[in-house]
Amino acid sequence: MTSEELEKLLAQQPVALLHRLARGRVHRQFRAGKRRLIELLLQHSSQNRAGLESDLQTLIGERQSRSQSGQSHRPHAPVPHPKKTSLRGGDSEPMESAISLSDWLKGIGVPPPQPFIADPWQTEALAAVSETDVVISVPTGSGKTYVAVEAARRAMEDNRTVIYTSPLKALSNTKYTEFSKIFGSDRVGILTGDRQENGQAPLLIMTTEILRNLLYDAASGEIDIRLDTLGLVILDESQYIADPERGVVWEETIIFCPSQARLLLLSASIGNPQDIADWLTSIRPTTCRLVRHGTRTVPLRAGYLHPNEKLTPLFRTQGIPYGHPSQLHPEAKRLFLEYEDETLPSGRSRR
Ligand SMILES: Nc1ncnc2c1ncn2[C@@H]1O[C@H](COP(=O)(O)OP(=O)(O)OP(=O)(O)O)[C@@H](O)[C@H]1O
Ligand SMILES: [Mg+2]
């Protein structure tokens, strides 16, 4: 298949198929419109053209056999504009009614103030980090910051210094502001590529790359970041260890972390946290304890924001039915189709 043929074949496919094809190939593929997705897939195909073509043929085959057995929601035939008539494949949709936008938005806001009571996993993690390294794997919005703050407070009360790292300069800036309010601005410093303030403070916030570089330099004796007094290193968003490009930074930071400092890895979405805890145990002088908690304190709601700023629930129900396509909200589906039509490469419109 020539590049032009491949591009043409890709352009003939529905965007949902392209998204499936893009999984594992294109980073953040759900943010890309059809035109961009095709561009990225073509770029990727320079590395493994045969693999891409064969996956594409498989997906097309699956789609055809689904449509032959009458299960398709998206027939091949040219379709009328969604605004003028029913949705493509809408006939086979379940008849269950869909949630309204106002019901979907209900309950979002600031809850009434309540006394703070630490969750059992927070107490468990805090107790553990005074003795061992700890990996925390809990859903997003569960309160990992509380553990980081309290562990930092305890380490500083013990006259130990603390380093907190995040993968992003923006997050480091936010934490700098947040921790300065909690501990006082004289107790907190920041070191990122853009900002160096209060570098002698007992609590230093930095990007993980900066810490890795400091540890490199310290290992070669070039600078002194008071490694002897370092009591705690907190690696926030440590699921980045799985990132194909940046993951090595987390690995090296862990490997070079001074032995007397405790490591606290915070993560919302490590797929294999036990493996990571076991690896830490195998390379560090102390064991590593895994603290897990599965219940989501803040339930997820999936919505779809069309580039025309129209917001709609993504699924028929408030909860997330694990992406089952038949559960798509009719309005979201209509907007998808509209977007797909709008973003088809010029001259290749299927209408
Ligand atoms: N035990 C608790 N009870 C009630 N609210 C809590 C508790 N612990 C933390 N919170 C609140 O939960 C919210 C989310 O906390 P936090 O930002 O620490 O979450 P997180 O786990 O770091 O999430 P993310 O994965 O998004 O970084 C904050 O407003 C925090 O004050
Ligand atoms: Mg957090």
Side-chain angles (χ1 to χ4, degrees), residues 144-145 175 236-237:
K144 294 182 282 294
T145 312
K175 290 294 175 192
D236 203 353
E237 309 293 345

PDB file of all heavy atoms in Angstrom, residues 144-145 175 236-237, ligand 2:
ATOM      1  N   LYS A 144      -4.224  12.532  48.780  1.00  0.00           N
ATOM      2  CA  LYS A 144      -2.803  12.159  48.903  1.00  0.00           C
ATOM      3  C   LYS A 144      -1.990  13.326  49.462  1.00  0.00           C
ATOM      4  O   LYS A 144      -1.004  13.131  50.147  1.00  0.00           O
ATOM      5  CB  LYS A 144      -2.242  11.738  47.529  1.00  0.00           C
ATOM      6  CG  LYS A 144      -2.880  10.464  47.016  1.00  0.00           C
ATOM      7  CD  LYS A 144      -2.301  10.012  45.695  1.00  0.00           C
ATOM      8  CE  LYS A 144      -2.808  10.787  44.504  1.00  0.00           C
ATOM      9  NZ  LYS A 144      -4.225  10.620  44.198  1.00  0.00           N
ATOM     10  N   THR A 145      -2.448  14.563  49.145  1.00  0.00           N
ATOM     11  CA  THR A 145      -1.693  15.738  49.614  1.00  0.00           C
ATOM     12  C   THR A 145      -1.627  15.774  51.137  1.00  0.00           C
ATOM     13  O   THR A 145      -0.615  16.170  51.720  1.00  0.00           O
ATOM     14  CB  THR A 145      -2.356  17.029  49.092  1.00  0.00           C
ATOM     15  OG1 THR A 145      -2.612  16.863  47.710  1.00  0.00           O
ATOM     16  CG2 THR A 145      -1.493  18.243  49.320  1.00  0.00           C
ATOM     17  N   LYS A 175       2.034  23.831  44.168  1.00  0.00           N
ATOM     18  CA  LYS A 175       2.369  23.246  45.469  1.00  0.00           C
ATOM     19  C   LYS A 175       3.215  24.213  46.288  1.00  0.00           C
ATOM     20  O   LYS A 175       3.114  24.242  47.519  1.00  0.00           O
ATOM     21  CB  LYS A 175       3.123  21.916  45.281  1.00  0.00           C
ATOM     22  CG  LYS A 175       2.251  20.820  44.735  1.00  0.00           C
ATOM     23  CD  LYS A 175       1.167  20.422  45.731  1.00  0.00           C
ATOM     24  CE  LYS A 175       0.215  19.394  45.138  1.00  0.00           C
ATOM     25  NZ  LYS A 175      -0.995  19.176  45.942  1.00  0.00           N
ATOM     26  N   ASP A 236       5.365  12.964  43.771  1.00  0.00           N
ATOM     27  CA  ASP A 236       3.935  13.020  43.437  1.00  0.00           C
ATOM     28  C   ASP A 236       3.763  12.592  41.976  1.00  0.00           C
ATOM     29  O   ASP A 236       4.704  12.679  41.180  1.00  0.00           O
ATOM     30  CB  ASP A 236       3.402  14.447  43.654  1.00  0.00           C
ATOM     31  CG  ASP A 236       1.887  14.458  43.864  1.00  0.00           C
ATOM     32  OD1 ASP A 236       1.239  13.398  43.712  1.00  0.00           O
ATOM     33  OD2 ASP A 236       1.335  15.537  44.174  1.00  0.00           O
ATOM     34  N   GLU A 237       2.569  12.140  41.653  1.00  0.00           N
ATOM     35  CA  GLU A 237       2.241  11.690  40.278  1.00  0.00           C
ATOM     36  C   GLU A 237       3.267  10.669  39.799  1.00  0.00           C
ATOM     37  O   GLU A 237       3.762  10.735  38.672  1.00  0.00           O
ATOM     38  CB  GLU A 237       2.197  12.890  39.303  1.00  0.00           C
ATOM     39  CG  GLU A 237       1.333  14.060  39.754  1.00  0.00           C
ATOM     40  CD  GLU A 237      -0.156  13.736  39.795  1.00  0.00           C
ATOM     41  OE1 GLU A 237      -0.586  12.720  39.232  1.00  0.00           O
ATOM     42  OE2 GLU A 237      -0.888  14.509  40.446  1.00  0.00           O
TER      43      GLU A 237
HETATM   44 MG    MG B   2      -2.473  15.233  44.236  1.00  0.00          MG
END
